[in-house]
Amino acid sequence: MVKHIVSFKLSGSDSVRREVALRFKEALEALPAQIDVLQSIEVGINENPAECWDVVLTALVPTMADVELYARHPAHVAAAALLAGHKADRACVDYAID
């Protein structure tokens, strides 16, 4: 199995970033029903004002190749498009788990 962890830093006012994050979270949480290789996904919105990253997702897929299938799936592409104009930065780590 592969754990795919991505953090996003959004741009805009606090209220805009929160609104974008909530819509993004909702779209991502619908993906396991739409993408066969996506075993699970957890999405968190930062609640600590001392930190600068806004959203983190942790997804689980069977193989590293499935990370690419997930990324290219039209439902995922549509969810990612919700960040258009608001994504200031992105960090990602993919690693195998037993």
Side-chain angles (χ1 to χ4, degrees):
M1 296 298 280
V2 173
K3 196 168 277 196
H4 172 71
I5 301 174
V6 186
S7 294
F8 295 93
K9 189 181 299 185
L10 304 177
S11 61
S13 67
D14 289 348
S15 62
V16 167
R17 290 189 349 260
R18 178 90 177 154
E19 179 184 328
V20 170
L22 287 169
R23 285 185 307 192
F24 186 50
K25 181 181 189 309
E26 182 179 347
L28 290 174
E29 289 176 341
L31 294 180
Q34 302 170 60
I35 303 174
D36 290 340
V37 298
L38 185 56
Q39 302 294 307
S40 66
I41 193 164
E42 180 180 357
V43 183
I45 297 174
N46 184 33
E47 296 179 19
N48 183 348
E51 298 298 335
C52 61
W53 291 86
D54 296 289
V55 180
V56 65
L57 72 88
T58 303
L60 193 60
V61 296
T63 69
M64 196 62 73
D66 291 326
V67 173
E68 187 67 23
L69 289 174
Y70 156 75
R72 291 184 181 193
H73 191 282
H76 175 264
V77 171
L82 295 172
L83 297 183
H86 299 285
K87 184 171 63 173
D89 206 353
R90 176 185 180 274
C92 178
V93 175
D94 296 311
Y95 61 94
I97 60 172
D98 294 329

